[in-house]
């Protein structure tokens, strides 16, 4: 398991960044960070304001939009189980286990190129 103390992990790039957008694209969800993008291909879940949610259950999209403006202050990565971002008392979780039914990829992250724009040249990670 990797945590926010490991600066070699690509999720470390999100530390201190604010969620600028939550996008719903057909059957997956993206968190945008004014550059990097985290794409949840398997159905994410989480806790916001003490309320648990699981996408695409009713009410989950409204709660996910509440992440806009929050800053990443921690993460957890267990490559066999979950990828999670922490925002104080709130949490966003992408399941990575083989039983999620989404095939070999559960999440992608696209980094930022030298021009400051989202680009695979800035890194592309798959879980």
């Amino acid at each position: 398991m990797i945590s926010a103390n490991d600066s070699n992990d690509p999720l470390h790039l999100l530390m201190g960044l604010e969620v600028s957008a939550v996008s719903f694209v057909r059957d997956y969800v993206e968190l945008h960070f004014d550059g990097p993008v985290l794409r949840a291909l398997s159905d994410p879940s989480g806790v916001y304001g003490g309320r648990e949610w699981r996408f695409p259950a009713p009410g989950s999209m409204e709660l996910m939009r509440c992440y806009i403006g929050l800053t990443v202050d921690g993460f957890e990565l267990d490559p066999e189980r979950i990828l999670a971002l922490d925002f104080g008392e709130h949490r966003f979780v992408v399941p990575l286990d083989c039983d999620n039914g989404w095939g070999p990829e559960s999440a992608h992250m696209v980094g930022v190129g030298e021009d400051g724009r989202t680009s695979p040249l800035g890194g592309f990670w798959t879980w």
Side-chain angles (χ1 to χ4, degrees):
M1 180 169 52
I2 299 170
S3 69
N5 296 326
D6 186 346
S7 62
N8 294 321
D9 189 271
L11 292 176
H12 195 269
L13 298 172
L14 301 179
M15 290 292 294
L17 295 184
E18 185 178 286
V19 177
S20 58
V22 176
S23 298
F24 304 99
V25 186
R26 293 192 185 260
D27 59 352
Y28 63 91
V29 177
E30 294 179 339
L31 294 184
H32 294 249
F33 297 90
D34 286 329
V37 174
L38 177 65
R39 187 172 297 125
L41 302 173
S42 60
D43 291 341
S45 63
V47 176
Y48 186 86
R51 294 178 55 195
E52 291 186 21
W53 58 269
R54 178 169 298 283
F55 181 77
S60 63
M61 293 193 323
E62 289 78 14
L63 286 173
M64 280 190 278
R65 286 195 296 260
C66 294
Y67 288 83
I68 297 170
L70 298 182
T71 300
V72 177
D73 63 6
F75 66 85
E76 178 183 353
L77 177 61
D78 180 341
E80 302 297 320
R81 199 171 64 84
I82 66 164
L83 179 161
L85 298 179
D86 295 321
F87 306 89
E89 65 186 46
H90 314 294
R91 192 160 221 228
F92 185 91
V93 179
V94 181
L96 302 178
D97 59 307
C98 298
D99 298 329
N100 68 40
W102 290 95
E105 297 177 5
S106 297
H108 298 158
M109 189 171 92
V110 182
V112 178
E114 290 182 17
D115 61 359
R117 299 169 93 174
T118 304
S119 168
L121 297 175
F124 184 84
W125 299 269
T126 302
W127 294 274

